[in-house]
Amino acid sequence: MGYFRSMLTSASLIFVSATFLVAQCRTYWQFLLCQGILTGITAGIFTGPVTAILSQWFIRRRGLALGLYAAGSSMGGTVLPITARALIPLIGFPWTIRVFASIILFGLAMGNLTIKQRKSLIVKGHLLDFSPMQSSVFLLYCSASFSIYLGYYTFTTYIATSAISNGVPVSFSFYLVAICNACSGLSRLTSGFIADRLGALNLMVPATCLSAAIYYIWPFSHSQVGLIFLSVFYGISIGPFASLVSGPVLDLGDRNQLGQRIGILMSMVGVAMLAGAPISGAINTSQGSVSMGLFAGSMMLFGAILMATVWYYVSTVNFNLHPNQ
């Protein structure tokens, strides 16, 4: 655990330091460096290994463990925006950021103190190992996740501006994202229970199809009640994918390459996370909200179809889900 410990600790310290520095930023390049590049790279460094290490300790209850872990981000996505809206008028933007950085520091400190890798599963290997990509079923699953993430963040990125353009008060439109994140958090917790009994893919495929349907409906919903309804159900529908996306990957190959597979998956979907919302925004600007909804929904639907293909392959070809167990 020595290598992982030093890597996670260093990444955590840089992440917290970069967040504190956001309070001192004044120009665009400063915000980009601190909030964009430094926090993005370090978040990627500790997110992948933590998911892999957490999964080493669970087999029958792996879905629940991943669901609890993923619920934390929804909690942050629910609480922090509301907190920011309350604190900025009282103490200003710089001190609000410092409060957030202190909260993050506490959370990461607890994580670094409590995480522990199973000694029986410590694997030595090359830093860059792309051998898992030789598996066609693994690459298909990565492609499915990539496609889903191209549409995943469009709703939470543009729901507030969509609400405002439809006459919803600015003071309320801000809370639609919090509503979505709160419902997603509850969905992530329950998804773990269900996935442990039905299987992760059996839950993620229909839930992702529901997300796609919501995107197709979204451009035609113009009332505050309708947008609240969509926010609730979109949060519920994305919970299974958000909490269980790494679950099937853990079983699609040698368990000793668990970290490599998660790293490859996260690297691929990271590009989709970065590009998805800007692409949707450009489509909205040039073609309108209907085209944006069709794009995001179709990306998620296509990803669900690819994921269903992975499920079919695993189910019918008698793929060995636990080769070393």
Side-chain angles (χ1 to χ4, degrees):
M1 185 66 186
Y3 171 74
F4 278 115
R5 178 71 68 188
S6 60
M7 180 180 68
L8 295 177
T9 302
S10 299
S12 299
L13 289 174
I14 295 173
F15 187 94
V16 172
S17 299
T19 305
F20 270 112
L21 288 173
V22 170
Q24 307 302 124
C25 293
R26 296 294 181 270
T27 61
Y28 174 77
W29 72 265
Q30 293 172 341
F31 283 103
L32 179 64
L33 176 62
C34 294
Q35 186 64 25
I37 297 175
L38 290 179
T39 60
I41 292 175
T42 51
I45 289 174
F46 58 68
T47 299
V50 168
T51 303
I53 293 171
L54 177 65
S55 302
Q56 292 175 349
W57 292 94
F58 300 92
I59 296 178
R60 290 189 302 112
R61 295 290 182 265
R62 181 181 291 164
L64 176 58
L66 292 174
L68 289 169
Y69 173 61
S73 62
S74 287
M75 184 181 299
T78 303
V79 174
L80 292 183
I82 296 174
T83 304
R85 190 170 182 83
L87 288 182
I88 289 176
L90 296 177
I91 60 177
F93 175 78
W95 274 106
T96 299
I97 294 298
R98 294 180 186 114
V99 171
F100 285 178
S102 300
I103 296 172
I104 294 170
L105 174 61
F106 175 78
L108 289 176
M110 292 298 100
N112 277 273
L113 291 173
T114 55
I115 192 169
K116 181 181 180 182
Q117 189 175 13
R118 292 187 68 172
K119 293 182 180 180
S120 61
L121 293 177
I122 295 177
V123 180
K124 294 182 179 180
H126 298 290
L127 180 61
L128 297 177
D129 183 1
F130 299 102
S131 59
M133 298 182 71
Q134 296 174 3
S135 169
S136 58
V137 68
F138 171 68
L139 283 179
L140 185 61
Y141 184 80
C142 289
S143 299
S145 301
F146 182 91
S147 180
I148 291 171
Y149 268 120
L150 279 176
Y152 183 95
Y153 286 108
T154 298
F155 189 89
T156 53
T157 302
Y158 296 107
I159 183 60
T161 55
S162 172
I164 294 171
S165 66
N166 283 292
V168 176
V170 175
S171 59
F172 180 81
S173 63
F174 181 85
Y175 291 100
L176 290 173
V177 176
I179 292 171
C180 182
N181 283 323
C183 294
S184 176
L186 293 174
S187 178
R188 295 180 194 201
L189 289 174
T190 56
S191 296
F193 286 104
I194 299 172
D196 286 333
R197 290 158 177 79
L198 301 180
L201 287 172
N202 290 332
L203 179 60
M204 286 194 294
V205 171
T208 304
C209 289
L210 176 59
S211 298
I214 290 171
Y215 272 120
Y216 294 144
I217 298 171
W218 179 21
F220 305 100
S221 179
H222 305 295
S223 67
Q224 179 172 310
V225 173
L227 293 173
I228 293 174
F229 179 86
L230 292 180
S231 297
V232 169
F233 277 90
Y234 187 73
I236 293 172
S237 67
I238 62 173
F241 179 76
S243 60
L244 303 171
V245 61
S246 61
V249 174
L250 305 174
D251 296 322
L252 294 176
D254 192 327
R255 67 186 296 184
N256 290 330
Q257 291 184 319
L258 181 148
Q260 289 96 320
R261 289 197 304 279
I262 290 180
I264 291 170
L265 172 68
M266 294 303 175
S267 297
M268 292 179 67
V269 301
V271 177
M273 292 180 191
L274 177 65
I279 292 174
S280 294
I283 293 174
N284 185 38
T285 300
S286 61
Q287 304 295 327
S289 61
V290 174
S291 296
M292 180 179 70
L294 287 173
F295 166 76
S298 297
M299 289 298 98
M300 298 198 78
L301 181 60
F302 181 65
I305 293 172
L306 293 181
M307 199 174 291
T309 305
V310 173
W311 172 87
Y312 177 80
Y313 179 87
V314 169
S315 301
T316 60
V317 185
N318 194 28
F319 189 82
N320 186 8
L321 291 179
H322 302 286
N324 291 332
Q325 294 178 10

